[in-house]
Amino acid sequence: MKKQTVITAILSLFLIIGISNNANSQIGKKALGQGKKALSMGKKGKSKSGKSKSGKGGSFTEFNSETDEMGITGEYFGLKDPGAVGLRFVKESEGKIVNQLHYFEKKGEPTMKLALKESYYTKHQVKMFFKWNSASASGYVEMMEVAPGVFAIIKGDRTVNSNDKPIALDATRTVIEVGAKNKADFDTWDIETAQAKVDMLIATLNAANSEKIKKKLMRFEAYKNYKGKIAFAKGTNYLKTQKLDQADHKVANFITKRELGETVAFKPFFEQTLAASHPGAWFNITYEMAGVTTDREALRKSSTKFSKNIPQIDKDQDKYFFFYPKVTINTHNNIADYAFLELLRLTQDNLQAGKTYDLKVTVWAYKDGANIDPVATGTIQLEYGTRTEKLLFDPIKGWVTVLEDYLDE
């Protein structure tokens, strides 16, 4: 299979999975850096003496006579650095299962030992080995098999600072080199092709991990009963959680009615993550009350003042809820969503004391300048009560007053 065919097949899978990742390839200075630099097969070329400039130790052909259950062990060559290195899969050492990949730049002791991410292999047959390098500028390296006898050499970021844990699935991964047993494989596998295959494998792992998280969330009443909906509360403290796979919010603290102008916090729960349901999209929120609708994204693009005060919601696409709750108004911290304040400004002449109004909040998947689909909706009743007049229309500190003065500047 030629390179273009591989790329086309991988991109087709991306369209199905709906995840893409653009990364710039780069080459490191030394192979593995002996734990001090980003993982790489080194620099091209040889010195006048005939030895590889990267300091590789010559031939490892004897590795090809070894066998292991992974089919990995052997002599490998780099795409950027044609010098040879040795890779050996070690399942057991001193009577213990270790599942390590030993990397050799010269004969003797391995230059680096990388650990197998066992669950990726046992559940998804993905052979990914990792090591955290505390002294490294990049911090983290991986080697991932993209085809039999072909490995992508990957630089990762510092998402996890641990010797025994890989970086998170949503972390940045950049392929910096490709290693192969057979040099003819470089006709098919280059940096770009390997990056696409790595992204596809990570997308598959991400999808599986997402389903695992959802299964755990279904144990909780808040998620089970509110997926696709929005929960409201008197404050953000009622809607906080510590973990992404826990929806340990007390449903008894959710509210359906509040005095207009008082603090209202809300949290949407999603049937699917936005990354899975609408790849490349981010979130938008609309507010609808008394026949008027305001749209965060539309307002954000309407003026410099709204743009400054209505940030794009481009986080949590990989989660089943907003990790941090949102608010319409928070009187305790003196903050508010300007899109909600604009709704109050536009409806103020129609609001009457003693009456109750339905506020419909919709969280949308937003892409290419348009709302695509609603991903969560909820309605709360807002009563024009005894404090509403002061909270909204105080001549100096009222929410609507402050907004009008700001827009008039």
Side-chain angles (χ1 to χ4, degrees):
M1 184 183 291
K2 294 299 182 182
K3 183 192 306 178
Q4 187 58 46
T5 305
V6 174
I7 293 177
T8 302
I10 290 172
L11 291 178
S12 297
L13 285 172
F14 270 121
L15 292 176
I16 295 172
I17 297 173
I19 299 177
S20 64
N21 181 18
N22 295 322
N24 295 322
S25 300
Q26 64 179 40
I27 184 69
K29 186 175 181 181
K30 284 189 69 179
L32 291 179
Q34 298 184 15
K36 295 182 180 180
K37 293 188 180 295
L39 191 58
S40 165
M41 286 288 181
K43 294 175 68 178
K44 273 191 175 182
K46 295 185 178 181
S47 66
K48 292 182 180 180
S49 65
K51 294 183 179 180
S52 170
K53 289 182 179 180
S54 61
K56 304 274 182 357
S59 173
F60 292 86
T61 54
E62 68 273 17
F63 279 43
N64 293 332
S65 63
E66 299 180 26
T67 59
D68 65 72
E69 63 184 55
M70 290 276 195
I72 292 175
T73 303
E75 181 181 48
Y76 285 74
F77 304 92
L79 174 66
K80 296 289 186 180
D81 179 2
V85 299
L87 295 183
R88 175 182 288 141
F89 175 71
V90 179
K91 181 179 179 62
E92 186 175 349
S93 178
E94 298 180 351
K96 296 180 180 179
I97 300 297
V98 293
N99 287 333
Q100 293 177 341
L101 181 64
H102 291 188
Y103 175 100
F104 295 82
E105 287 185 352
K106 58 185 179 179
K107 304 296 176 64
E109 292 298 313
T111 306
M112 183 176 287
K113 299 177 181 180
L114 298 95
L116 173 70
K117 177 59 177 175
E118 295 184 4
S119 64
Y120 293 174
Y121 179 69
T122 57
K123 295 180 180 179
H124 309 286
Q125 292 72 58
V126 174
K127 300 175 187 176
M128 189 271 275
F129 298 86
F130 64 92
K131 183 172 179 61
W132 174 262
N133 292 322
S134 59
S136 168
S138 63
Y140 181 84
V141 291
E142 285 179 349
M143 294 184 69
M144 182 179 291
E145 188 181 70
V146 293
V150 182
F151 272 86
I153 318 302
I154 302 164
K155 181 181 72 173
D157 65 16
R158 294 178 175 271
T159 303
V160 170
N161 185 350
S162 172
N163 291 325
D164 59 357
K165 293 182 179 180
I167 58 175
L169 286 172
D170 60 349
T172 300
R173 284 174 165 83
T174 304
V175 175
I176 59 174
E177 175 62 301
V178 179
K181 286 183 179 180
N182 188 343
K183 292 181 180 180
D185 285 329
F186 294 135
D187 292 338
T188 300
W189 294 96
D190 60 8
I191 298 293
E192 179 187 6
T193 313
Q195 183 75 60
K197 181 62 179 290
V198 167
D199 292 343
M200 187 200 73
L201 292 173
I202 293 299
T204 300
L205 295 171
N206 253 320
N209 186 61
S210 182
E211 285 301 312
K212 181 176 68 175
I213 291 174
K214 183 174 183 178
K215 185 176 180 180
K216 289 184 178 180
L217 287 172
M218 287 297 290
R219 303 170 184 171
F220 297 90
E221 185 181 0
Y223 181 77
K224 184 169 62 176
N225 294 337
Y226 279 81
K227 59 183 185 294
K229 302 177 182 178
I230 295 174
F232 300 92
K234 294 180 179 180
T236 56
N237 56 306
Y238 297 111
L239 297 173
K240 291 181 178 179
T241 188
Q242 299 299 316
K243 296 183 178 181
L244 296 176
D245 59 358
Q246 293 183 0
D248 52 344
H249 319 79
K250 294 182 179 179
V251 175
N253 291 326
F254 296 170
I255 61 174
T256 58
K257 190 173 184 178
R258 187 72 161 145
E259 185 170 358
L260 182 59
E262 291 284 7
T263 298
V264 173
F266 63 93
K267 172 174 277 193
F269 295 89
F270 311 121
E271 287 272 4
Q272 291 180 281
T273 65
L274 196 67
S277 64
H278 298 83
W282 61 89
F283 295 104
N284 188 25
I285 299 175
T286 58
Y287 299 100
E288 182 179 350
M289 185 177 73
V292 176
T293 300
T294 54
D295 180 302
R296 281 177 58 93
E297 280 293 328
L299 286 172
R300 196 169 71 86
K301 296 179 179 180
S302 67
S303 71
T304 57
K305 291 181 178 179
F306 279 125
S307 181
K308 178 181 178 181
N309 291 283
I310 302 178
Q312 179 180 332
I313 308 176
D314 56 358
K315 297 180 180 180
D316 296 337
Q317 287 98 321
D318 60 337
K319 300 176 180 61
Y320 284 95
F321 48 74
F322 284 173
F323 192 67
Y324 294 104
K326 303 296 182 184
V327 297
T328 56
I329 285 174
N330 188 331
T331 58
H332 304 294
N333 296 330
N334 199 36
I335 60 174
D337 187 335
Y338 271 61
F340 178 68
L341 295 186
E342 176 65 358
L343 178 72
L344 296 179
R345 188 184 73 84
L346 295 175
T347 59
Q348 60 180 309
D349 293 338
N350 297 323
L351 300 178
Q352 299 179 28
K355 290 197 172 184
T356 300
Y357 301 89
D358 287 340
L359 171 68
K360 182 180 179 181
V361 181
T362 305
V363 178
W364 297 84
Y366 183 90
K367 188 177 181 180
D368 297 329
N371 292 323
I372 307 171
D373 292 305
V375 291
T377 60
T379 300
I380 184 171
Q381 292 184 315
L382 299 179
E383 182 182 10
Y384 197 123
T386 56
R387 285 172 45 84
T388 300
E389 185 73 24
K390 181 173 179 59
L391 289 169
L392 299 187
F393 307 115
D394 179 271
I396 297 177
K397 298 182 179 180
W399 287 107
V400 174
T401 305
V402 171
L403 177 62
E404 286 186 326
D405 290 345
Y406 175 64
L407 296 177
D408 286 341
E409 290 177 356

